[in-house]
Amino acid sequence: QKEVEQNSGPLSVPEGAIASLNCTYSDRGSQSFFWYRQYSGKSPELIMFIYSNGDKEDGRFTAQLNKASQYVSLLIRDSQPSDSATYLCAVNIIDTGNQFYFGTGTSLTVIP
Amino acid sequence: DTAVSQTPKYLVTQMGNDKSIKCEQNLGHDTMYWYKQDSKKFLKIMFSYNNKELIINETVPNRFSPKSPDKAHLNLHINSLELGDSAVYFCASSQVGRSGNTIYFGEGSWLTVV
C-alpha cells in the first residue's frame, strides 16, 4: 500500500472561515492527485483533481500541489456547515496498473 | 442511471458463511476495483482488474476472491467470513484518458459479520 498521509483531525472551523486540509505522499511515481469528500454513510465523491505543480481553483475550493515536497493541499473558502464531512486525499499511479491510493481522511466540522 | 452499482447494500451474516457482493459499471471503463473501508474511514485497496489483468493486494486473505465475467462486472466472493471482515466494501471504476482519469465509486456494501 503506497503511503498517503493526512491529519485525521478532527478539524473545526467557524462558518465563513477558510479550512485547510493537507496531504503528503511517499511515491514519486504518483502522477495525479485527488480530493474526495465523504459524508457519513455515503460513498466518496470527487471534489477536484490536480496534475501540475501550483494552484487549481474551482469555486470555493483550491487545490495546491508541490511535487518536489510531495505535498498536496485543499483550501475551502467561505466554509459552510454543509462542508462538514471527511475529506480524502488520493494519488493515482498509472504505471503500476492505474492504482488509486487513499489517505486516512480528515474529518472537518464547520460550526454555524 | 447509476454509473457504478453494487448489491447488496446491506448484508448481515454469521461467521463462517460464504457471501458475494456484485458490482457493475456502465461507464465503459477498463479498470475496476474493490476497496475496504474500516471504522476509521481508511479506504484500502483490495483488488483491481485492469484490462483483464488482476492485480492482487498481498495483504488480502485468500478467503477473498474477485471474479470478473466481463469488463463491466467485478464481483467479490468471501469465504469463511470472520468478525474482522465487517466493514464497508466499495466497488469503483476508472479509465485512463488523455486528460487523466478519475475513480468513481459505487454506493458501498455494508457487511456485518456476527
Side-chain angles (χ1 to χ4, degrees), chain B residues 49-62:
Chain B
Y49 261 88
N50 186 29
N51 288 325
K52 301 182 181 180
E53 178 185 356
L54 172 63
I55 299 171
I56 299 175
N57 186 319
E58 295 179 357
T59 64
V60 178
N62 58 16

Side-chain angles (χ1 to χ4, degrees), chain A residues 34 36 38 51 98-100, chain B residues 33 35 37 48 99 101 103:
Chain A
F34 300 79
Y36 282 78
Q38 187 176 23
Y51 306 127
N98 193 21
Q99 300 302 312
F100 287 79
Chain B
Y33 312 82
Y35 283 85
Q37 188 171 47
S48 67
S99 58
N101 56 353
I103 187 169

